[in-house]
PDB file of all heavy atoms in Angstrom:
ATOM      1  N   VAL A 233      -6.976  73.653 -21.702  1.00 61.00           N
ATOM      2  CA  VAL A 233      -7.619  74.874 -22.191  1.00 61.00           C
ATOM      3  C   VAL A 233      -7.464  74.967 -23.707  1.00 61.00           C
ATOM      4  O   VAL A 233      -7.726  76.007 -24.304  1.00 61.00           O
ATOM      5  CB  VAL A 233      -7.008  76.132 -21.528  1.00 61.00           C
ATOM      6  CG1 VAL A 233      -7.298  76.143 -20.047  1.00 61.00           C
ATOM      7  CG2 VAL A 233      -5.504  76.217 -21.781  1.00 61.00           C
ATOM      8  N   ALA A 234      -7.077  73.856 -24.333  1.00 66.00           N
ATOM      9  CA  ALA A 234      -6.884  73.839 -25.784  1.00 66.00           C
ATOM     10  C   ALA A 234      -8.134  74.263 -26.553  1.00 66.00           C
ATOM     11  O   ALA A 234      -8.020  74.965 -27.558  1.00 66.00           O
ATOM     12  CB  ALA A 234      -6.414  72.458 -26.238  1.00 66.00           C
ATOM     13  N   PRO A 235      -9.365  73.850 -26.138  1.00 71.00           N
ATOM     14  CA  PRO A 235     -10.546  74.315 -26.873  1.00 71.00           C
ATOM     15  C   PRO A 235     -10.676  75.826 -26.917  1.00 71.00           C
ATOM     16  O   PRO A 235     -11.093  76.390 -27.927  1.00 71.00           O
ATOM     17  CB  PRO A 235     -11.708  73.669 -26.096  1.00 71.00           C
ATOM     18  CG  PRO A 235     -11.116  72.429 -25.520  1.00 71.00           C
ATOM     19  CD  PRO A 235      -9.716  72.829 -25.145  1.00 71.00           C
ATOM     20  N   ILE A 236     -10.325  76.494 -25.809  1.00 68.00           N
ATOM     21  CA  ILE A 236     -10.391  77.959 -25.793  1.00 68.00           C
ATOM     22  C   ILE A 236      -9.332  78.535 -26.729  1.00 68.00           C
ATOM     23  O   ILE A 236      -9.585  79.507 -27.460  1.00 68.00           O
ATOM     24  CB  ILE A 236     -10.199  78.493 -24.360  1.00 68.00           C
ATOM     25  CG1 ILE A 236     -11.388  78.075 -23.486  1.00 68.00           C
ATOM     26  CG2 ILE A 236     -10.066  80.005 -24.352  1.00 68.00           C
ATOM     27  CD1 ILE A 236     -11.310  78.552 -22.066  1.00 68.00           C
ATOM     28  N   ARG A 237      -8.142  77.955 -26.721  1.00 67.00           N
ATOM     29  CA  ARG A 237      -7.099  78.416 -27.628  1.00 67.00           C
ATOM     30  C   ARG A 237      -7.492  78.170 -29.084  1.00 67.00           C
ATOM     31  O   ARG A 237      -7.170  78.970 -29.972  1.00 67.00           O
ATOM     32  CB  ARG A 237      -5.786  77.703 -27.306  1.00 67.00           C
ATOM     33  CG  ARG A 237      -5.177  78.143 -25.980  1.00 67.00           C
ATOM     34  CD  ARG A 237      -3.957  77.343 -25.611  1.00 67.00           C
ATOM     35  NE  ARG A 237      -3.403  77.796 -24.338  1.00 67.00           N
ATOM     36  CZ  ARG A 237      -2.494  77.126 -23.631  1.00 67.00           C
ATOM     37  NH1 ARG A 237      -2.049  75.965 -24.080  1.00 67.00           N
ATOM     38  NH2 ARG A 237      -2.052  77.604 -22.493  1.00 67.00           N
ATOM     39  N   LEU A 238      -8.181  77.070 -29.331  1.00 72.00           N
ATOM     40  CA  LEU A 238      -8.664  76.787 -30.685  1.00 72.00           C
ATOM     41  C   LEU A 238      -9.652  77.858 -31.130  1.00 72.00           C
ATOM     42  O   LEU A 238      -9.645  78.273 -32.298  1.00 72.00           O
ATOM     43  CB  LEU A 238      -9.322  75.410 -30.718  1.00 72.00           C
ATOM     44  CG  LEU A 238      -9.898  74.961 -32.068  1.00 72.00           C
ATOM     45  CD1 LEU A 238      -8.791  74.880 -33.112  1.00 72.00           C
ATOM     46  CD2 LEU A 238     -10.596  73.615 -31.932  1.00 72.00           C
ATOM     47  N   LEU A 239     -10.487  78.326 -30.193  1.00 70.00           N
ATOM     48  CA  LEU A 239     -11.414  79.404 -30.517  1.00 70.00           C
ATOM     49  C   LEU A 239     -10.670  80.671 -30.917  1.00 70.00           C
ATOM     50  O   LEU A 239     -11.081  81.394 -31.831  1.00 70.00           O
ATOM     51  CB  LEU A 239     -12.310  79.708 -29.312  1.00 70.00           C
ATOM     52  CG  LEU A 239     -13.501  78.778 -29.080  1.00 70.00           C
ATOM     53  CD1 LEU A 239     -14.245  79.205 -27.838  1.00 70.00           C
ATOM     54  CD2 LEU A 239     -14.424  78.804 -30.276  1.00 70.00           C
ATOM     55  N   LEU A 240      -9.568  80.946 -30.229  1.00 66.00           N
ATOM     56  CA  LEU A 240      -8.751  82.108 -30.554  1.00 66.00           C
ATOM     57  C   LEU A 240      -8.206  81.997 -31.976  1.00 66.00           C
ATOM     58  O   LEU A 240      -8.208  82.968 -32.742  1.00 66.00           O
ATOM     59  CB  LEU A 240      -7.600  82.244 -29.553  1.00 66.00           C
ATOM     60  CG  LEU A 240      -6.600  83.389 -29.788  1.00 66.00           C
ATOM     61  CD1 LEU A 240      -7.311  84.735 -29.742  1.00 66.00           C
ATOM     62  CD2 LEU A 240      -5.475  83.333 -28.765  1.00 66.00           C
ATOM     63  N   VAL A 241      -7.764  80.797 -32.335  1.00 72.00           N
ATOM     64  CA  VAL A 241      -7.244  80.565 -33.684  1.00 72.00           C
ATOM     65  C   VAL A 241      -8.352  80.740 -34.720  1.00 72.00           C
ATOM     66  O   VAL A 241      -8.163  81.412 -35.750  1.00 72.00           O
ATOM     67  CB  VAL A 241      -6.627  79.151 -33.781  1.00 72.00           C
ATOM     68  CG1 VAL A 241      -6.236  78.841 -35.227  1.00 72.00           C
ATOM     69  CG2 VAL A 241      -5.409  79.032 -32.875  1.00 72.00           C
ATOM     70  N   ILE A 242      -9.514  80.128 -34.454  1.00 73.00           N
ATOM     71  CA  ILE A 242     -10.633  80.242 -35.388  1.00 73.00           C
ATOM     72  C   ILE A 242     -11.070  81.701 -35.539  1.00 73.00           C
ATOM     73  O   ILE A 242     -11.326  82.194 -36.647  1.00 73.00           O
ATOM     74  CB  ILE A 242     -11.822  79.387 -34.914  1.00 73.00           C
ATOM     75  CG1 ILE A 242     -11.462  77.900 -34.980  1.00 73.00           C
ATOM     76  CG2 ILE A 242     -13.067  79.661 -35.766  1.00 73.00           C
ATOM     77  CD1 ILE A 242     -12.522  76.980 -34.397  1.00 73.00           C
ATOM     78  N   GLY A 243     -11.118  82.405 -34.400  1.00 71.00           N
ATOM     79  CA  GLY A 243     -11.487  83.820 -34.439  1.00 71.00           C
ATOM     80  C   GLY A 243     -10.493  84.646 -35.232  1.00 71.00           C
ATOM     81  O   GLY A 243     -10.872  85.540 -36.006  1.00 71.00           O
ATOM     82  N   SER A 244      -9.203  84.345 -35.055  1.00 71.00           N
ATOM     83  CA  SER A 244      -8.164  85.080 -35.779  1.00 71.00           C
ATOM     84  C   SER A 244      -8.253  84.829 -37.280  1.00 71.00           C
ATOM     85  O   SER A 244      -8.141  85.762 -38.095  1.00 71.00           O
ATOM     86  CB  SER A 244      -6.775  84.669 -35.269  1.00 71.00           C
ATOM     87  OG  SER A 244      -6.648  84.934 -33.890  1.00 71.00           O
ATOM     88  N   ILE A 245      -8.468  83.557 -37.649  1.00 74.00           N
ATOM     89  CA  ILE A 245      -8.594  83.210 -39.071  1.00 74.00           C
ATOM     90  C   ILE A 245      -9.824  83.886 -39.682  1.00 74.00           C
ATOM     91  O   ILE A 245      -9.762  84.448 -40.785  1.00 74.00           O
ATOM     92  CB  ILE A 245      -8.682  81.680 -39.251  1.00 74.00           C
ATOM     93  CG1 ILE A 245      -7.343  81.035 -38.857  1.00 74.00           C
ATOM     94  CG2 ILE A 245      -9.033  81.322 -40.693  1.00 74.00           C
ATOM     95  CD1 ILE A 245      -7.380  79.517 -38.832  1.00 74.00           C
TER      96      ILE A 245
END
Side-chain angles (χ1 to χ4, degrees):
V233 295
I236 293 180
R237 290 175 180 166
L238 179 61
L239 280 179
L240 177 60
V241 173
I242 293 174
S244 301
I245 293 173

